[in-house]
Amino acid sequence: MRHIISVLMENEPGALSRVVGLFSQRNFNIESLTVAPTEDSTLSRLTVTTIGSDRVIEQITKQLNKLIDVVKVVDLTEGDHVERELMMIKLKASGQMRAEIKRTADIFRGQIIDVTPTTYTVQLTGASDKLDAFIETLGAAHIMEVVRTGVSGLSRGEKVLSI
Amino acid sequence: MEQLSGGEMLIRALKDEGVKHIYGYPGGALLHIYDALFQQGDVQHVLVRHEQAATHMADAYARATGKAGVALVTSGPGATNAVTGIATAYMDSIPMVVITGQVMSTLIGEDAFQETDMIGVSRPVVKHSFSVQNPEDIPSIIKKAFHIAESGRPGPVVVDIPKDMTNPTDRFNYEYPKSIKLRSYNPVSRGHSGQIKKAVDMVLGAKRLVIYAGGGVILGGASKELTELAQLLNAPVTNTLMGLGGYPGTDRQFIGMLGMHGSYEANMAMHHADLILAVGARFDDRVTNGVDKFCPTAKIIHVDIDPASISKTIKADVPIVGPAKHVLNEMVTLVKDSKKQPEKEAVDSWWKQIDEWRTRHGGHYRTDDSEKMKPQQVIEMLSKVTGGDAYICSDVGQHQMFAAQYYKFNKPNRWINSGGLGTMGFGLPAAMGVKMNFPDEEVVCVTGEGSIQMNIQELSTISQYNIPLKVICLNNQSLGMVRQWQDMNYESRHSHSYMESLPDFIKLAEAYGHVGMKVDKYEDLEAAMTKAFAMKDRMVFMDITVDPFEHVYPMQVPRGSMRDMWLSKTERT
C-alpha cells in the first residue's frame, strides 16, 4: 500500500543523505521525495511516498526515528490528510491544439504560466492521480517536458507535526 | 578562561571525558593533533601497525568495560582502513568514537591528496557522525559523540576533523560541557509498566518457558537481574553468541548457546517452548533458522532498547521497549510480589524433558576418529587451565564456535568476538585492547591460522607496548568453516579453503620478540598451556595442530526449524 511519511529533521548538512541512504541501505522503496526548511529555519520537513507492506512501513518509521537528525516521524496515511503535488508541463501548442490545451487546463484548474508561438507551459496542482490524469488526457504526442515536485501533505484538523 | 588550539581542545576533551588510551596511526591530516598529543601526558596513545587494529582495540576495550573506546586515524586510506572496524562495532552495537583526519576544509571536494568523503563512506555503519566546521565546536561535538555512542542502543560515532580546524595558531576559549541535550535524541530509560505487568503474568502462567538472552544483557549491564529472574522462575536460559556470559555458563539452568551452532537442548527447547522471553536479542538469521518454521507453539515477549529490533523478523506478542536492566528489575519485583507462581508440575516436567535432550547430545564429540588433537579438546583445556575466568577474544570461524560452545563463561564482558559482521582479524587486536586495560587478567586470543594472518602485523605493536596476552592458534591448515560448508554442501570440493605456504609461526613470533610454542599431541597440551600461562610477562604464541577434518556440531539444517540439526557427520534430528 502507498504511504506518505512526513519527517521533521534538523536542517543540517548530511541529514538528507542519511534519510536517503537509509532507504537504499535497507531496500525500502521511494516513490517521491520532497524536502525544504520549515518556518523554523533549524528544521526541515521531508515528505516521502513509499509502497510497502505494514511490516515494511513499520520498519521504515522505526528506522527513520532512529536517525539522530530526525526529530519526528508521522505516517500521514494513517489518518485523514490532505496531499498536493505541483507539476509544470511543457506542451507543443500550435494550430487547433492551442485552444484544446487551454480548455483542458481550465477543466483541470491549471494555469498557463509560459507562452511562446509554439508552446504552452501549464502549472497544475493536486493529488498525484489528478496530475497523472492530465498527462493521460493530453497524450504523449504533445508533451515536451514534465517536472513534478513530489507529494507534500498535512494531517487534517488540529493535528500537527511540530516539536 | 584557557585558550587552546583545536588540536589541544580535542585531546583535552578526551581527557575530560575520562579517556586513558587512544589507539591510532598518524598522517598528514593529523599532524597538528599528534603535536598536541606529544605535549601532554594524560591521554596515552597506542601506535598500531594498521588502522583496522586501532578500531578493534578501541572496540574490545568497550566490550570489556562498557565505555566507549577511541580510535584516531588519518584521512583517506587511514579512514578507509578503519571502516571494517567501525562496521564490526556497528553490527554488535559497541560504543566507539572514531576520530578521522580530513584534508583542509578549503580543499574538500577537490580530490586533494589523501581525501575521502569519510562521512559518506561510513554513513551506513555508524550510529551517527559529525563533521567539524568550526574549531570552537570541538568540545561540544566530542561530548555529543560520547553521549550518542554510549547511550540507548550503543554504536560507533565518527568525528571527521579537517586539518585547518586544529591549526596550532588559532586559539579559542576551552570549556568542556558538563552535560548535553539533543532535542532529536532521547533514548528510553524505562520500560512500559503495563507491558511489563502483562509479561510477568504470561511468564508465571507458562508451562514451557525459555529465556533467550542476547548481547543487550551484556551491553545493558543486566546479567545480575537476568540471573535473578531466571532463578526465581526456575526457567532455562539460552544465550546468543553475543550474550554468552550474561548468564553463568556452568549453572544448571544454562542450556547453552542457541542457533546455527547452538546446543541440541537449547534449540529443542526453543522449538517446543510455549513462551519465549527474549531480552536484548534481535532474532537474527543465525538464530532463527527458517523464520516461517520458527518456534511454532511459542508466544513471544520481546524486550529491547531499540524499537526497530522488535518485530523486525519475528512478530512479538508483547513488545517492551526499554533497557534490559530496568525491565528485568521490574519483572523480578513483580514476580516476588505476585501470589501467582509458576505451576510446579509443569516446570518439573519441562526440566525433565530438557535434561533428556541434554543427555542425548550434551556437546559430545568424537576423539577416536583421528590421530590428531580435536579443537574442542584444546578449548576445554583452555577453560580448565584458566579456570573459566579469562577474557577470551576470538577471531572468526570454526575456532570461534568451538570457543563459544566449550569455554564456560561465568561472567559478562569476558567473551569478546565479532558476532554480527564476522570479522576475521578481530581477535589479536581485540586481545591487545583488553590486556592493555586489564594487565592483571588473563587475556587470550583464540584464533586459527587463517584469521591470525589478517592482522599478524600487530605482533609488532605487542612488542612495543609489551602486552603479554596469549595466542591460542587452532591450526588445522584450512579455512575450517568454509571447508565444513564445502564438505556438507559442495561434495567436499575444497575450493580455496586450504592454506598453503603457512609461515613457521614459532619463528615468526620469535622474530617479533615473543615466545612461540608448538603442540602436536594432546598428551603435551596441559603441560604446555600451563607453562605458557605461567609466563606472565611474555606474549606466548601457541601453534596447536588440530584435526583438519573436524566439523562444528550441532549445525542447523538451512531453512529448517530450530530443531532441524545435524548432530554429527552421520546423525540428523
Side-chain angles (χ1 to χ4, degrees):
Chain A
M1 202 184 123
R2 174 175 172 272
H3 289 254
I4 304 172
I5 294 168
S6 273
V7 181
L8 209 56
M9 60 188 198
E10 299 289 352
N11 185 10
E12 295 214 350
L16 177 61
S17 74
R18 288 180 213 276
V19 172
V20 175
L22 175 71
F23 274 76
S24 66
Q25 181 185 344
R26 295 201 178 260
N27 212 8
F28 301 147
N29 144 294
I30 297 181
E31 292 285 303
S32 79
L33 181 144
T34 163
V35 60
T38 64
E39 82 285 5
D40 173 352
S41 63
T42 66
L43 289 171
S44 287
R45 180 156 172 159
L46 178 146
T47 312
V48 59
T49 53
T50 183
I51 293 171
S53 64
D54 288 351
R55 196 175 73 89
V56 169
I57 301 298
E58 183 182 327
Q59 266 298 305
I60 291 176
T61 52
K62 283 175 168 179
Q63 294 290 349
L64 281 170
N65 263 314
K66 263 175 84 171
L67 294 176
I68 307 289
D69 285 331
V70 167
V71 184
K72 271 189 182 169
V73 179
V74 66
D75 179 357
L76 289 178
T77 27
E78 272 184 356
D80 287 340
H81 64 281
V82 285
E83 59 172 281
R84 290 291 181 273
E85 185 176 0
L86 184 141
M87 171 170 76
M88 287 186 276
I89 179 165
K90 190 178 286 184
L91 299 149
K92 287 180 208 149
S94 51
Q96 288 186 335
M97 274 315 286
R98 284 182 88 80
E100 177 62 25
I101 290 168
K102 175 76 173 73
R103 266 198 303 277
T104 312
D106 285 345
I107 293 167
F108 279 83
R109 296 188 193 170
Q111 290 167 286
I112 298 174
I113 55 171
D114 185 50
V115 178
T116 72
T118 53
T119 67
Y120 274 161
T121 299
V122 179
Q123 171 193 307
L124 194 63
T125 312
S128 303
D129 52 357
K130 176 178 158 184
L131 309 190
D132 295 341
F134 185 73
I135 290 173
E136 204 176 314
T137 306
L138 286 164
H142 303 290
I143 297 170
M144 297 170 71
E145 196 177 4
V146 173
V147 60
R148 298 169 67 149
T149 56
V151 175
S152 285
L154 292 173
S155 294
R156 280 186 186 276
E158 298 276 321
K159 216 168 134 192
V160 294
L161 178 64
S162 67
I163 52 170
Chain B
M1 201 178 279
E2 214 176 349
Q3 295 266 307
L4 298 178
S5 71
E8 289 167 341
M9 284 199 288
L10 172 67
I11 305 302
R12 180 67 70 84
L14 294 175
K15 181 199 162 207
D16 288 346
E17 193 57 49
V19 175
K20 298 269 186 298
H21 292 105
I22 63 174
Y23 313 95
Y25 205 103
L30 293 180
L31 285 169
H32 298 326
I33 294 173
Y34 271 82
D35 195 48
L37 257 176
F38 189 84
Q39 300 183 46
Q40 55 86 54
D42 298 312
V43 177
Q44 196 201 335
H45 176 268
V46 178
L47 177 69
V48 292
R49 299 298 178 267
H50 186 288
E51 287 87 352
Q52 186 190 345
T55 54
H56 292 331
M57 285 185 82
D59 170 319
Y61 162 79
R63 289 177 200 247
T65 63
K67 287 184 284 191
V70 183
L72 176 62
V73 300
T74 194
S75 65
T80 55
N81 278 347
V83 171
T84 299
I86 297 169
T88 303
Y90 180 73
M91 287 293 275
D92 291 342
S93 309
I94 305 303
M96 183 157 88
V97 174
V98 179
I99 297 154
T100 58
Q102 184 53 276
V103 300
M104 290 201 292
S105 58
T106 49
L107 292 177
I108 288 178
E110 304 204 344
D111 301 321
F113 177 65
Q114 292 193 329
E115 180 185 357
T116 294
D117 171 16
M118 186 53 179
I119 297 291
V121 167
S122 65
R123 200 209 63 239
V125 293
V126 295
K127 184 171 174 186
H128 195 56
S129 49
F130 294 94
S131 169
V132 175
Q133 321 229 318
N134 298 296
E136 53 266 56
D137 296 341
I138 288 175
S140 68
I141 285 178
I142 294 297
K143 184 79 196 172
K144 283 180 197 165
F146 276 88
H147 172 59
I148 291 170
E150 289 176 347
S151 59
R153 179 177 181 173
V157 175
V158 162
V159 181
D160 198 45
I161 310 182
K163 188 174 184 181
D164 48 330
M165 299 297 133
T166 57
N167 199 337
T169 54
D170 302 335
R171 308 186 79 79
F172 307 89
N173 287 334
Y174 173 81
E175 191 180 3
Y176 195 61
K178 285 197 178 57
S179 63
I180 209 95
K181 215 175 145 40
L182 293 159
R183 65 177 170 184
S184 60
Y185 175 70
N186 297 294
V188 289
S189 58
R190 47 193 303 116
H192 187 278
S193 57
Q195 292 290 88
I196 295 174
K197 275 203 190 82
K198 208 163 150 189
V200 167
D201 200 51
M202 284 170 77
V203 158
L204 290 172
K207 290 188 162 45
R208 297 184 309 279
L209 169 67
V210 176
I211 299 178
Y212 149 46
V217 170
I218 312 270
L219 292 163
S223 304
K224 194 175 126 284
E225 290 75 7
L226 173 72
T227 308
E228 192 176 358
L229 180 66
Q231 294 183 348
L232 271 175
L233 296 166
N234 190 17
V237 181
T238 177
N239 279 147
T240 66
L241 180 65
M242 293 309 299
L244 292 172
Y247 188 86
T250 52
D251 188 84
R252 179 192 64 89
Q253 281 173 240
F254 184 62
I255 57 172
M257 181 170 76
L258 82 168
M260 182 174 276
H261 293 298
S263 74
Y264 176 70
E265 54 270 33
N267 287 344
M268 291 299 277
M270 286 291 285
H271 185 84
H272 291 92
D274 69 345
L275 182 64
I276 290 167
L277 171 60
V279 188
R282 59 185 175 90
F283 294 85
D284 86 301
D285 57 293
R286 287 297 195 265
V287 160
T288 59
N289 206 8
V291 284
D292 49 331
K293 295 175 188 145
F294 180 74
C295 303
T297 52
K299 292 259 184 229
I300 289 164
I301 302 167
H302 193 173
V303 182
D304 204 289
I305 199 158
D306 177 11
S309 278
I310 297 177
S311 298
K312 186 171 74 178
T313 56
I314 300 289
K315 183 122 185 76
D317 297 289
V318 180
I320 304 176
V321 179
K325 196 180 178 75
H326 171 262
V327 175
L328 290 172
N329 209 13
E330 291 289 294
M331 288 183 78
V332 165
T333 311
L334 288 173
V335 168
K336 279 183 179 163
D337 292 350
S338 173
K339 285 195 195 76
K340 186 172 164 186
Q341 288 301 320
E343 193 189 312
K344 194 173 177 308
E345 256 174 56
V347 174
D348 287 348
S349 95
W350 183 221
W351 272 114
K352 190 164 161 279
Q353 174 66 75
I354 290 170
D355 287 335
E356 273 175 41
W357 287 325
R358 194 154 18 201
T359 326
R360 169 149 184 218
H361 188 263
H364 174 74
Y365 58 90
R366 285 178 70 174
T367 51
D368 58 355
D369 59 350
S370 164
E371 297 279 289
K372 295 217 164 104
M373 213 181 322
K374 292 290 179 173
Q376 298 94 322
Q377 291 179 301
V378 181
I379 302 296
E380 286 186 326
M381 185 60 76
L382 179 65
S383 202
K384 185 179 165 195
V385 170
T386 58
D389 211 25
Y391 285 85
I392 304 295
C393 304
S394 174
D395 260 308
V396 170
Q398 280 188 328
H399 61 270
Q400 177 189 26
M401 292 300 121
F402 289 132
Q405 291 175 331
Y406 293 95
Y407 199 95
K408 299 299 172 199
F409 295 93
N410 279 324
K411 292 178 188 165
N413 304 91
R414 299 208 166 210
W415 166 238
I416 297 194
N417 86 127
S418 169
L421 196 67
T423 308
M424 288 173 73
F426 175 80
L428 186 63
M432 291 157 61
V434 176
K435 184 68 181 174
M436 282 199 89
N437 287 282
F438 296 96
D440 300 328
E441 301 277 352
E442 292 296 3
V443 179
V444 183
C445 165
V446 172
T447 185
E449 81 295 327
S451 282
I452 191 71
Q453 291 191 82
M454 284 215 189
N455 265 321
I456 192 87
Q457 77 287 344
E458 296 309 315
L459 290 175
S460 170
T461 310
I462 295 173
S463 304
Q464 182 176 347
Y465 296 94
N466 187 25
I467 315 171
L469 57 91
K470 307 290 177 271
V471 172
I472 303 292
C473 180
L474 303 183
N475 190 338
N476 60 0
Q477 293 162 51
S478 63
L479 303 175
M481 193 56 94
V482 173
R483 185 191 176 113
Q484 174 169 345
W485 280 67
Q486 289 170 338
D487 282 339
M488 296 175 79
N489 301 311
Y490 299 88
E491 297 165 329
S492 295
R493 290 187 295 277
H494 296 144
S495 181
H496 298 271
S497 56
Y498 181 68
M499 295 289 274
E500 286 174 319
S501 312
L502 283 174
D504 180 335
F505 286 113
I506 309 308
K507 280 190 186 154
L508 188 65
E510 286 169 1
Y512 280 107
H514 306 304
V515 179
M517 287 170 84
K518 187 154 180 63
V519 185
D520 293 318
K521 294 198 190 73
Y522 183 65
E523 302 86 82
D524 303 335
L525 183 64
E526 184 165 12
M529 222 181 242
T530 309
K531 192 175 156 201
F533 281 94
M535 286 187 252
K536 294 286 175 202
D537 55 349
R538 299 299 298 277
M539 201 298 275
V540 183
F541 191 117
M542 295 191 77
D543 181 18
I544 303 173
T545 310
V546 296
D547 178 11
F549 300 106
E550 188 62 11
H551 287 178
V552 181
Y553 292 110
M555 181 170 178
Q556 283 177 332
V557 178
R559 293 174 296 281
S561 72
M562 289 297 283
R563 69 170 167 185
D564 298 321
M565 289 170 268
W566 286 97
L567 298 178
S568 70
K569 284 181 185 171
T570 50
E571 195 187 0
R572 236 198 88 160
T573 54

